Amino acid sequence: MISFAPRPFRSVAPAVLAGMAVLTLSLSACGSAATTNAGNAADPAKGGTASVSNGAAQIAVSVEKVDGEDSCVPNFTSAPAGPVTFTIANKDASGVSEVELLSDKRILGERENVIPGLKSVSFTVTLTGGEYQLYCPGAGKEYQPFSVSGAAASAAANGTSGLLKQGTDGYAKYVSGQVDSLVLAAATLQAAVDSGDVTASQKAYAEARPFFERIEPVAESFPDLDPALDLRVADVEPGTEWTGFHPLEKDLFEAKAITASSKALAAGIVKNVATLKTLTAELETNASYKPEELANGASGLLEEVQSSKITGEEEAYSKLDLVDFAANIEGSQQAFEYLKPALNEIDPALTKQISGQFETVNTSLDGYKDANALGGFKAYTDELKKSDAAKLTALIQSLQAPLAKIAEKVATV
Amino acid sequence: MTEITPAADKVSRRRFLSGSAAVAGAGGLVLGAAGGTAIAAAAAPEPVSEEVRMAERASLTYPFYGQHQGGIDTPPQDHLVFTAFDVTALTAVELQLVLAKWSAAMSELTAGSPVGKVQPEREQAIPVDTGEATDMGPQGLTLTLGFGPSLFDGRFGLEKFKPVDFADLPAMAGESLDPALTGGDLCIQACANDPQVAYHAVRNLARMARTSVRTKWTVLGFGRASAGAEQATPRNLMGFKDGTRNIQEPADFSDQVWVGEEAGQPWMVGGSYLVARKIHMLIETWDEDPIGDQQTIFGRTKKEGAPLTGAKEHDVPDFHAAVAGGTADETVIAADSHIALAAHENNNGTKILRRGYNFTDGLDSVGRLDAGLMFLSFQRSPEQFIALQRKLGKSDRLNEYIRHVGSGVFAVPAGLPAAGSYYGKEFFA
């Protein structure tokens, strides 16, 4: 589970430019990295500056075998500032399937599924004057310098940075909003428990859970808070106290009895949720969220679904796993939606694919809705688990596969 | 397709880096090996060390591009991962992408290369290749792709590409098929001398297509249960040699295995039909059966594998030899023995290329050993298998001890000519 780092995000990626020689020499896997001779490979790039047509400088990148080695061959190695369109076709280099344009280590634009035999694909980025790299993972020579002359033709250059900033700011507000609702829901839960009404308490419990589950990765970034609120019985260290939602769930749904300790648990939830509010408000004020954290959080929520919801471990007594499941998906989609405007600039095809997969998951989840059930979803009984768990797993996996890729694309490190 | 290319012919970045320092220095030895298989090495005049032999096995590669797909007339490797997939994609374009991606990845994998980075430089990157086959070498990996009849059902507009008379296998006697182990839009047969290399290949292919295909059923096989040319005949889990009279002659391949124009599809010329049957053996029952009965059932002796009318494994069985003092229709090799029913002499000359593997998978739902034969056969027409199986299913003495639980038939397209082509390319013109 990757969660939001409470400390500043640390990058250990080697410098792309300065470290080039080192990079190509580190044989990472089965000798797939370039050998020392990579630099001597024939470089049929014409050099020179691309001419502008259709309002953009046109660069054709041919991915092909040159002297038996998978290579990326651009027809020009520089372009004037402004929009630049890279059109990529893979002739016969099976080892290369994507091409990216980098500024330092940031991905400005890229195309995946650059596969031999398929039609050419293209992406357009607006570039200011400076040095960039064309990156072809898997090629003999993975990085090639690409230079842009002149100043910016428009203020749209590096527009993705602005979009990402808007995204993280928006997400911070979303988290705060969820926590505010959680504060109210926790108070309602405490009032119900204090009144001794089991049915009302069960209902309040079911209503409080989604607010927490939607923003779970953020809660998890506070190392003490998440276990205090959301520890499952299996994860309790012997000799430590079990607190939070789940022991209360056990009282309400298994014993169906409210005791003094149930009331203490409800009070503890209220207290810890108040702490969570303080901490998330600070994150919003300081604009601490990084785009890659949103992305990892979105993917992390899907990990949660697979590791504890589909198995029925999360809500072992209340059988509300599908309620949590839906909340995890919703939280994941929210994080994605805030990144979407920037992501659309970087990799529109992937963005479209993820949107489509979210739609598929949501449509499937609709089939589990039950207005009369606690939390609005069918109880996740053993029978339902037996019949549907494999289907749900496949569903989530086909969303997670593309979603997991976005952190790298929006990383600001 | 059976010609072996030493890995050293590849460019440097493809070179298999052995983990063992002792072998790393012995590059020349590895490169000089033409035979590659342990058997061929053992026959060499100069004894080679075990380490060198292991390195040869590890660096063994079969060319990916050629007239036929690998894994058919390739000498059977030791391990199998067979997986059938259903396509969940909704558009032809998504299917096209899967087939193109897979074809490119297969050429990398069979050369012993990872598919993308095992350890990307960027902190936030997801490793592209899962990494568990790193530094293990190609291990003679072949990957064979097949299309199930359901792929041509109209979802992707492929009806007009369906080969003539290509359909799901008909119901046959002696089956108790589990729907969860039956059919599939696509299949991949991965064979290698190391199970982890075969598994890695299928795992990564499945992963890169996760949004478009779903794994339907999968079988891990071991101890190849059929012999190719120059190979000793292995044994199935019943303890009997399996594959003694398998197809080996080029003429038989042309007549019985490779598809010609009759399929009505250019993409199938040089292809073949793969039949996959997961056969559960009632092992515990079989183990308590007397040796005489076991041998009568197969029509062969257990240790030597000789037909009951002969002394040596490769003696030709005499299906007419009568039991001394018996009635006229009592033959030494019972007419309903496994080999008598399956023999080409008794089936109008029909032969199939068997390429099966043993499997074991813990216990079944009622507490018996879940083990048996993952039967794989290649033939020019599914009819060859159907005719043989109809006969076997009806009266084979072996039926008391086996159950066919999984089944699939797949059209295996011809091999790819060169990089830049991909399986199914004709479908998307």
Side-chain angles (χ1 to χ4, degrees):
Chain A
M1 171 78 221
I2 306 166
S3 61
F4 288 74
R7 46 179 172 43
F9 187 84
R10 188 176 49 87
S11 159
V12 292
V16 172
L17 288 173
M20 258 321 291
V22 182
L23 262 185
T24 49
L25 293 184
S26 63
L27 289 170
S28 56
C30 284
S32 70
T35 61
T36 40
N37 300 324
N40 306 333
D43 192 2
K46 279 192 217 166
T49 301
S51 54
V52 175
S53 66
N54 301 329
Q58 301 294 325
I59 306 285
V61 182
S62 172
V63 185
E64 57 187 60
K65 283 211 187 318
V66 179
D67 302 333
E69 192 166 66
D70 290 353
S71 311
C72 264
V73 187
N75 59 348
F76 297 104
T77 50
S78 68
V84 184
T85 299
F86 292 85
T87 304
I88 307 142
N90 189 332
K91 205 167 95 192
D92 57 4
S94 320
V96 176
S97 63
E98 60 179 291
V99 174
E100 303 174 2
L101 186 80
L102 307 177
S103 166
D104 201 0
K105 283 181 292 288
R106 286 221 37 213
I107 305 172
L108 299 181
E110 78 160 288
R111 270 295 188 220
E112 289 169 16
N113 300 325
V114 178
I115 313 283
L118 294 183
K119 285 194 185 73
S120 62
V121 290
S122 67
F123 65 88
T124 303
V125 279
T126 303
L127 302 174
T128 52
E131 292 302 315
Y132 299 86
Q133 303 83 42
L134 200 58
Y135 175 45
C136 297
K141 184 179 169 193
E142 292 192 314
Y143 294 91
Q144 304 197 46
F146 186 84
S147 57
V148 173
S149 55
S154 78
N158 278 338
T160 53
S161 308
L163 291 172
L164 286 170
K165 176 79 175 71
Q166 285 170 23
T168 51
D169 289 351
Y171 182 74
K173 285 195 177 61
Y174 166 75
V175 171
S176 299
Q178 291 299 309
V179 176
D180 287 344
S181 302
L182 182 59
V183 169
L184 292 175
T188 309
L189 176 62
Q190 186 182 16
V193 171
D194 283 346
S195 76
D197 183 340
V198 173
T199 309
S201 302
Q202 287 179 340
K203 187 164 167 292
Y205 173 87
E207 280 166 8
R209 291 291 297 159
F211 298 115
F212 183 81
E213 289 290 329
R214 285 185 198 118
I215 57 153
E216 194 164 13
V218 181
E220 280 180 340
S221 68
F222 309 114
D224 302 330
L225 204 54
D226 181 56
L229 276 169
D230 201 34
L231 206 61
R232 294 184 295 267
V233 68
D235 300 328
V236 181
E237 286 277 334
T240 58
E241 197 191 353
W242 187 26
T243 63
F245 282 110
H246 295 300
L248 181 60
E249 177 205 0
K250 191 169 192 243
D251 289 352
L252 297 178
F253 293 89
E254 193 186 51
K256 294 190 176 65
I258 290 170
T259 63
S261 89
S262 317
K263 293 176 184 176
L265 287 168
I269 291 171
V270 169
K271 185 171 134 301
N272 282 318
V273 166
T275 311
L276 182 63
K277 180 174 161 63
T278 311
L279 293 168
T280 50
E282 273 171 29
L283 289 177
E284 185 187 348
T285 312
N286 304 337
S288 306
Y289 292 102
K290 291 195 165 61
E292 58 269 28
E293 291 178 331
L294 269 61
N296 284 330
S299 182
L301 279 161
L302 300 186
E303 271 178 42
E304 282 287 317
V305 169
Q306 288 177 81
S307 57
S308 64
K309 275 55 172 200
I310 286 177
T311 56
E313 291 165 86
E314 180 81 19
E315 302 282 359
Y317 314 106
S318 67
K319 306 291 178 204
L320 289 170
D321 301 273
L322 289 175
V323 178
D324 293 0
F325 186 125
N328 285 162
I329 300 291
E330 199 179 316
S332 178
Q333 185 163 7
Q334 284 297 324
F336 165 70
E337 293 291 339
Y338 281 107
L339 293 172
K340 203 158 113 179
L343 207 54
N344 245 329
E345 299 287 313
I346 298 167
D347 192 340
L350 180 70
T351 312
K352 187 164 166 264
Q353 186 186 32
I354 294 170
S355 295
Q357 292 291 351
F358 266 118
E359 212 168 300
T360 306
V361 171
N362 287 328
T363 307
S364 302
L365 268 179
D366 284 347
Y368 295 93
K369 281 188 173 159
D370 178 354
N372 303 322
L374 213 52
F377 282 88
K378 286 181 187 167
Y380 197 53
T381 58
D382 287 350
E383 296 74 43
L384 187 60
K385 185 165 92 178
K386 195 162 183 279
S387 60
D388 287 31
K391 192 172 84 180
L392 291 168
T393 297
L395 194 66
I396 295 301
Q397 283 179 353
S398 51
L399 169 61
Q400 185 164 23
L403 188 69
K405 292 182 188 167
I406 65 174
E408 183 185 9
K409 304 195 189 293
V410 299
T412 44
V413 287
Chain B
M1 209 57 226
T2 45
E3 197 190 332
I4 291 159
T5 316
D9 284 0
K10 313 274 175 208
V11 298
S12 57
R13 90 180 178 86
R14 294 264 182 274
R15 184 174 307 149
F16 162 59
L17 297 169
S18 164
S20 138
V23 178
L29 281 170
V30 177
L31 313 188
T37 63
I39 289 166
E46 299 240 346
V48 281
S49 77
E50 186 60 22
E51 261 175 306
V52 170
R53 204 167 23 207
M54 291 303 284
E56 280 174 14
R57 258 174 73 86
S59 60
L60 174 66
T61 58
Y62 293 105
F64 178 71
Y65 297 103
Q67 192 185 355
H68 310 295
Q69 285 198 52
I72 304 172
D73 62 359
T74 310
Q77 304 92 322
D78 291 351
H79 294 273
L80 162 84
V81 177
F82 176 88
T83 304
F85 301 89
D86 275 339
V87 179
T88 54
L90 302 173
T91 63
V93 170
E94 286 174 274
L95 175 64
Q96 179 184 16
L97 199 56
V98 170
L99 294 173
K101 263 193 202 177
W102 274 8
S103 305
M106 285 171 169
S107 83
E108 296 290 305
L109 289 162
T110 50
S113 306
V115 182
K117 288 202 183 297
V118 172
Q119 185 179 308
E121 293 97 354
R122 277 195 294 254
E123 180 92 352
Q124 290 293 350
I126 306 288
V128 186
D129 184 285
T130 55
E132 74 272 24
T134 304
D135 297 343
M136 291 183 75
Q139 300 279 354
L141 175 69
T142 55
L143 294 163
T144 316
L145 175 76
F147 302 137
S150 51
L151 191 71
F152 302 92
D153 63 5
R155 279 172 297 162
F156 308 106
L158 301 185
E159 303 94 318
K160 62 176 179 293
F161 294 102
K162 188 173 180 164
V164 174
D165 299 335
F166 181 44
D168 285 331
L169 295 172
M172 290 179 269
E175 285 180 336
S176 41
L177 297 183
D178 175 350
L181 302 173
T182 304
D185 292 331
L186 300 167
C187 78
I188 294 173
Q189 171 196 278
C191 298
N193 287 329
D194 185 283
Q196 190 151 316
V197 167
Y199 181 72
H200 166 264
V202 173
R203 174 183 171 189
N204 281 267
L205 293 168
R207 180 181 175 222
M208 70 179 64
R210 192 153 280 159
T211 53
S212 309
V213 305
R214 185 180 304 170
T215 304
K216 187 166 192 196
W217 57 292
T218 187
V219 178
L220 269 66
F222 64 94
R224 57 181 175 82
S226 58
E230 312 290 307
Q231 287 184 327
T233 314
R235 294 179 186 274
N236 62 29
L237 293 182
M238 289 177 158
F240 278 74
K241 289 184 180 176
D242 202 333
T244 297
R245 304 180 82 206
N246 212 350
I247 287 183
Q248 293 184 356
E249 300 302 321
D252 279 339
F253 273 99
S254 314
D255 295 345
Q256 310 265 4
V257 179
W258 304 125
V259 174
E261 306 286 346
E262 71 277 5
Q265 293 292 349
W267 61 267
M268 270 302 278
V269 177
S272 190
Y273 289 95
L274 165 59
V275 169
R277 305 282 281 186
K278 188 176 185 185
I279 303 172
H280 178 96
M281 292 174 176
L282 300 167
I283 297 245
E284 294 92 335
T285 323
W286 172 261
D287 290 346
E288 304 311 319
D289 194 44
I291 186 66
D293 193 50
Q294 290 189 359
Q295 298 190 142
T296 303
I297 286 171
F298 273 102
R300 290 188 179 275
T301 61
K302 196 164 188 177
K303 276 180 79 174
E304 169 62 27
L308 297 182
T309 54
K312 288 275 172 238
E313 183 194 346
H314 292 285
D315 290 350
V316 177
D318 178 354
F319 297 112
H320 305 290
V323 177
T327 59
D329 57 356
E330 266 191 285
T331 48
V332 177
I333 299 174
D336 55 2
S337 68
H338 189 67
I339 66 163
L341 289 168
H344 60 87
E345 294 90 337
N346 305 331
N347 289 286
N348 308 320
T350 298
K351 298 178 184 177
I352 56 176
L353 174 69
R354 284 161 293 154
R355 215 175 176 285
Y357 286 81
N358 300 326
F359 75 85
T360 177
D361 193 10
L363 301 178
D364 69 8
S365 60
V366 292
R368 302 172 301 192
L369 283 173
D370 185 0
L373 177 68
M374 180 59 182
F375 172 95
L376 297 167
S377 70
F378 290 90
Q379 47 272 304
R380 187 170 182 158
S381 162
E383 275 308 317
Q384 291 162 256
F385 170 81
I386 293 166
L388 289 172
Q389 182 52 36
R390 277 222 164 101
K391 203 163 151 185
L392 289 166
K394 202 158 57 189
S395 52
D396 189 356
R397 284 182 181 234
L398 191 56
N399 291 344
E400 192 183 337
Y401 298 100
I402 59 174
R403 297 284 178 275
H404 286 235
V405 293
S407 174
V409 60
F410 300 92
V412 174
L416 294 176
S421 49
Y422 59 92
Y423 296 118
K425 193 171 182 174
E426 306 80 352
F427 303 164
F428 308 101

